[in-house]
Amino acid sequence: MIYGAMKFSIGGSLKLAFRPWVEGLENIPAQGPAILASNHLSFSDSFFLPAVLDRKITFIAKSEYFTAPGVKGRLTAAFFKGVGQLPVDRSGGRGAGEAAVKAGIEVIESGGLFGIYPEGTRSPDGRLYRGKPGGLARVALATGAPVIPVAMIDTEKIQPPGQLIPKLMRPGIRIGKPLDFSRYHGMEGDRFILRSVTDEVMYEIMKLSGQEYVDIYATAAKRQIADEAKRRAEEEKNAGRKPGTQG
């Protein structure tokens, strides 16, 4: 009941205002479990994808989305709770990963659609980064559920990080054909298999999205970008000092 009301109010408004185009909806099963693995360009990805699907999709959402202060924080928490998203505390390292996998398996075993971002975080520059081999592959191999690759298109242009008011433009969503990894069922303890499965999914996402692929993790790229910004700021600061002064 709550999910239907939230989808009608928020999902309907998003579709009316932004008119997202969608390709491949026929690849979403009408019933039964499946894993939707998507690239991650913007905070709004978790709004647009559920808005265009007839079925409920459950994402693992970081717990900060449920506890953020202010009006935006309250609205965000209400939305995620209303559409059944699952909060996971990601500050606990390996424990957080185990919690996410357990939650994903529970969604699949209940016959639902489980949504996951294999990159683990939003892309810092619009490129596609290496998928993390933990959650996606482990849930797929433990359950035997098909993995459906998804590409979000141009959502980073609608709401870049830090921008509160979204820009009105049409995002796109491409949904690929289901990938069957049943040949590896029960092998979720093999890290080489996990890596292979994850890479195969990321390759399909790359083909759907047309993004440039970067073979490092997005978290590492964000650190590099932050370090470079810090270095440049320090250089500009030093360049502004008068000759003969010391820092």
Side-chain angles (χ1 to χ4, degrees), residues 33-66:
I35 301 167
L36 273 63
S38 174
N39 61 340
H40 199 12
L41 295 172
S42 168
F43 171 79
S44 61
D45 295 336
S46 297
F47 292 78
F48 283 113
L49 184 55
V52 302
L53 300 181
D54 291 332
R55 294 182 60 186
K56 175 183 176 180
I57 176 173
T58 300
F59 281 96
I60 297 298
K62 60 183 180 180
S63 59
E64 296 96 304
Y65 287 158
F66 295 80

Side-chain angles (χ1 to χ4, degrees), residues 7 10-20 48 50-54:
K7 181 175 176 60
I10 297 179
S13 298
L14 284 174
K15 291 169 72 173
L16 181 64
F18 293 93
R19 299 180 299 116
F48 283 113
V52 302
L53 300 181
D54 291 332

Side-chain angles (χ1 to χ4, degrees), residues 52-246:
V52 302
L53 300 181
D54 291 332
R55 294 182 60 186
K56 175 183 176 180
I57 176 173
T58 300
F59 281 96
I60 297 298
K62 60 183 180 180
S63 59
E64 296 96 304
Y65 287 158
F66 295 80
T67 58
V71 175
K72 180 183 177 182
R74 290 194 295 272
L75 290 174
T76 300
F79 173 80
F80 281 116
K81 290 176 181 177
V83 298
Q85 306 307 283
L86 302 176
V88 171
D89 185 354
R90 302 195 306 184
S91 63
R94 183 173 176 80
E98 293 297 330
V101 170
K102 183 176 182 292
I105 291 174
E106 290 176 352
V107 171
I108 293 300
E109 290 181 341
S110 69
L113 297 179
F114 175 57
I116 189 168
Y117 300 116
E119 291 167 280
T121 187
R122 283 175 281 178
S123 170
D125 54 14
R127 297 186 293 177
L128 184 68
Y129 285 85
R130 195 180 197 205
K132 294 190 173 182
L136 165 64
R138 287 180 61 193
V139 173
L141 300 190
T143 63
V147 178
I148 301 174
V150 176
M152 306 301 295
I153 312 293
D154 289 338
T155 53
E156 81 282 11
K157 299 175 183 176
I158 292 175
Q159 192 176 28
Q163 179 174 314
L164 180 60
I165 306 300
K167 177 182 179 181
L168 283 177
M169 60 177 290
R170 294 189 74 186
I173 302 172
R174 289 196 181 100
I175 303 170
K177 295 183 180 300
L179 303 173
D180 180 10
F181 295 108
S182 59
R183 61 192 183 277
Y184 300 129
H185 182 61
M187 300 176 67
E188 61 270 20
D190 188 321
R191 63 187 180 93
F192 296 105
I193 296 295
L194 296 179
R195 181 77 267 161
S196 176
V197 168
T198 304
D199 288 345
E200 184 173 337
V201 174
M202 298 309 296
Y203 179 71
E204 294 300 321
I205 294 175
M206 181 187 69
K207 290 197 300 183
L208 291 169
S209 68
Q211 292 170 278
E212 177 186 349
Y213 179 76
V214 186
D215 195 25
I216 62 172
Y217 293 123
T219 48
K222 287 183 175 181
R223 286 195 298 269
Q224 292 177 2
I225 291 171
D227 289 345
E228 178 63 17
K230 183 177 179 181
R231 183 188 65 80
R232 290 182 179 178
E234 189 65 27
E235 287 182 349
E236 291 176 0
K237 179 180 178 181
N238 292 336
R241 292 175 181 157
K242 296 180 179 180
T245 60
Q246 295 181 352

